[in-house]
Amino acid sequence: MSAQPNAPTPFAGVNATWNYTLGSIVFLFLLLDLLVVGDLLIRFRDSGSILTGALLLAVVLASASRIRYCWFLRGEGDEGLPRIGWTIALFAPALVAWGLAFVLPDGAPFAAAQLWFSGVLFCVVLRRSLRWPVMAAIFVVTIAPIVVRTVRGDDALELTERGAGPFVALYGLMLPFMLLSSLWLWRIVRRLDEARTLAAELAVTQERLRFAADLHDIQGHHLQVIALKAELVERTLAAKPEYAAEQVGEIRVIAKEALEETRSLVAGLREVALDVELENAREVLALSGAECELDIAGTPASADTRRVLAFAVREATTNILRHSAATAAKISLEPARGGHELRIVNNGLAAGPDSPPKGGHGLAGLRARVSALGGTLSVMPAGERFELRLWLPEGGAQ
């Protein structure tokens, strides 16, 4: 199976949600910064003030540092804190802009807002117990230049004629809630994905425990009897050879029974009824996050045909779980051309080294079973879509 360049990787849904969340946050900061930069460019063009030019440069550097800092939002608590150098780079240009707010002839709110934007971003990666107190302290520091200049009688709240000031002020005040709500939704998606993975692993573990318990019951009982009879043979071999020979025969019978019961246990694990296998496939795929649709128009009467179809459903389900990030799958079984045709389709075909080869062991074994009954098997990968199609005659080999 050839690798597809645009095929999704495992956890693609979670990664896509994070990319959307990150993109939304970056877009919000870019929008606010572009409004501020546009306003300052007009002011600098009209006044030619060195202070306004310095503020413009500080805003551009602060914007770049914030956008880079957004990549650290994926973590939580201590996990999300970057190295101290990144935090210094985040605050350094914002503090320069904040300092200019004390001396700028106009545009002081835009200068002070840089500290607020960077401070909110920093607080989002802090632990919850520190987040709001630190954010409140940053807000007080942010408005200090405005308060000082207002007390001095300066027109510190003078805004641009284009109306960017009220917009920036409104979204600046809403910024903590927008960031926190976006990250809250992202973390819920991540928790749900972790829970789904854990549930799938738990289901596999429970099945292993069930099989181990059944195997222990079978082997433990027979081995105990064999051990007792072997000890009896050892004690009576010299005195009662005929009796010992009789016990050896019984040991052989018990060992044979243990072998047959073990084989029956394994066969019972492997040979599941077709209808049960179909329902199991739907439940397992749903548990992995893939919506599975069953479309069963009829099932064959032949036990051999049903057995091969059940094996095909199990093999295809395993391949979907191991080699794809499918979000949708469909299993259909219907009478066709004097037999029955099984089609299993899924999206989210994986690319790279994890992609299943056309000649994989599972598919090779399935192809051999289908050929033995005179049927046909084809696999058709196409982009992110993969289809397995199998046809078997009604009565087995023709």
Side-chain angles (χ1 to χ4, degrees):
M1 187 179 301
S2 61
Q4 304 298 332
N6 296 323
T9 57
F11 310 109
V14 177
N15 290 332
T17 304
W18 165 246
N19 292 335
Y20 174 80
T21 303
L22 177 63
S24 301
I25 293 173
V26 169
F27 175 78
L28 176 60
F29 276 116
L30 276 176
L31 178 62
L32 293 174
D33 292 333
L34 285 175
L35 288 173
V36 172
V37 168
D39 183 276
L40 293 177
L41 280 173
I42 295 174
R43 293 171 184 271
F44 182 68
R45 182 196 63 188
D46 295 340
S47 67
S49 169
I50 296 177
L51 290 178
T52 304
L55 175 59
L56 182 61
L57 178 60
V59 169
V60 172
L61 293 176
S63 176
S65 66
R66 281 193 292 269
I67 291 173
R68 177 60 185 89
Y69 207 83
C70 286
W71 266 256
F72 300 113
L73 296 179
R74 187 161 185 165
E76 277 188 82
D78 294 334
E79 173 192 349
L81 288 174
R83 294 180 180 178
I84 187 65
W86 288 110
T87 302
I88 293 175
L90 174 68
F91 278 104
L95 285 171
V96 171
W98 175 80
L100 290 173
F102 287 95
V103 295
L104 277 171
D106 56 13
F110 289 148
Q114 300 305 307
L115 180 61
W116 173 246
F117 294 161
S118 297
V120 169
L121 188 58
F122 171 72
C123 290
V124 167
V125 301
L126 290 177
R127 293 194 303 270
R128 292 182 181 179
S129 59
L130 298 175
R131 184 176 297 160
W132 291 106
V134 173
M135 197 176 298
I138 291 176
F139 179 78
V140 171
V141 174
T142 297
I143 64 174
I146 310 300
V147 174
V148 169
R149 296 191 61 173
T150 302
V151 171
R152 286 194 321 219
D154 296 343
D155 190 7
L157 294 177
E158 184 269 331
L159 299 173
T160 178
E161 296 177 358
R162 297 176 180 268
F167 183 87
V168 172
L170 175 62
Y171 275 82
L173 292 174
M174 294 173 57
L175 187 61
F177 306 100
M178 289 188 288
L179 292 187
L180 290 173
S181 61
S182 297
L183 294 173
W184 177 72
L185 289 173
W186 143 248
R187 283 161 186 160
I188 286 179
V189 171
R190 191 170 70 172
R191 294 289 185 275
L192 288 175
D193 184 76
E194 291 172 355
R196 184 181 62 193
T197 302
L198 183 61
E201 292 175 354
L202 181 60
V204 173
T205 301
Q206 288 177 334
E207 180 61 19
R208 287 175 177 172
L209 290 174
R210 184 198 65 79
F211 179 76
D214 291 345
L215 185 62
H216 175 269
D217 292 342
I218 292 173
Q219 297 289 358
H221 170 73
H222 288 95
L223 289 175
Q224 176 108 18
V225 176
I226 289 173
L228 291 174
K229 286 188 174 293
E231 183 180 354
L232 182 60
V233 169
E234 185 180 12
R235 291 178 180 178
T236 60
L237 184 60
K240 299 179 180 179
E242 294 182 358
Y243 179 76
E246 181 181 344
Q247 295 301 314
V248 169
E250 291 185 9
I251 290 175
R252 179 181 58 80
V253 172
I254 294 172
K256 185 177 180 181
E257 289 178 357
L259 181 60
E260 290 176 352
E261 290 185 17
T262 302
R263 285 174 176 170
S264 298
L265 176 64
V266 174
L269 183 66
R270 289 181 179 172
E271 298 188 13
V272 181
L274 176 58
D275 55 345
V276 175
E277 196 65 62
L278 290 168
E279 286 298 328
N280 287 343
R282 176 161 60 182
E283 292 178 5
V284 170
L285 289 175
L287 191 61
S288 70
E291 207 175 301
C292 182
E293 177 186 353
L294 290 183
D295 183 9
I296 311 302
T299 56
S302 169
D304 290 338
T305 303
R306 293 171 65 88
R307 186 179 301 111
V308 173
L309 289 174
F311 181 83
V313 172
R314 182 165 56 247
E315 176 62 26
T317 303
T318 301
N319 283 338
I320 292 173
L321 294 174
R322 293 179 57 191
H323 304 296
S324 81
T327 58
K330 181 177 181 180
I331 302 175
S332 59
L333 178 62
E334 59 185 0
R337 307 189 304 278
H340 282 78
E341 183 178 67
L342 173 70
R343 293 180 60 204
I344 303 176
V345 184
N346 70 279
N347 64 357
L349 182 62
D354 292 333
S355 299
K358 284 186 178 180
H361 297 298
L363 289 178
L366 176 59
R367 197 179 300 277
R369 291 170 182 253
V370 171
S371 298
L373 294 183
T376 59
L377 171 68
S378 61
V379 292
M380 291 169 280
E384 296 182 2
R385 185 174 180 273
F386 184 82
E387 177 177 350
L388 181 146
R389 182 175 295 180
L390 182 155
W391 176 84
L392 289 173
E394 176 61 40
Q398 300 295 321

